[in-house]
Amino acid sequence: MAIMQTELVDRRKWISQARFLHALNYCMLLPGPEAQQLAIYLGWLFHKTRGGIVAGPTRNLSLNSRLKNIRNPLRTSLPFA
């Protein structure tokens, strides 16, 4: 969440702080992962239905690639891996 806020509010200024926090509060009320719901909402906010549909899976793909890049160096540095 902090990375999303820094990137979208502070660095790129795509959304105001108040709007981001309002959306985050709304996403916290819903069941499920807040970051996923917030990404879908922001995608919808910027590009309507298509943006929301694309934002959900895209966030998962970027998260999976980051986790994969984090795990691989650790595995190769261990002598028994």
Side-chain angles (χ1 to χ4, degrees), residues 2-66:
I3 294 172
M4 288 176 75
Q5 182 176 3
T6 302
E7 190 67 27
L8 298 173
V9 176
D10 300 332
R11 187 166 164 238
R12 297 181 190 245
K13 300 188 186 324
W14 285 353
I15 189 171
S16 69
Q17 178 77 14
R19 185 92 185 235
F20 182 85
L21 292 177
H22 178 74
L24 180 59
N25 287 336
Y26 181 71
C27 290
M28 287 180 153
L29 291 174
L30 299 171
E34 289 94 9
Q36 180 76 26
Q37 294 165 349
L38 187 59
I40 292 170
Y41 170 74
L42 293 172
W44 172 83
L45 183 66
F46 297 136
H47 301 288
K48 301 300 174 202
T49 304
R50 288 184 185 175
I53 291 171
V54 169
T58 303
R59 186 201 169 270
N60 280 343
L61 292 174
S62 67
L63 181 62
N64 288 340
S65 67
R66 287 180 191 165

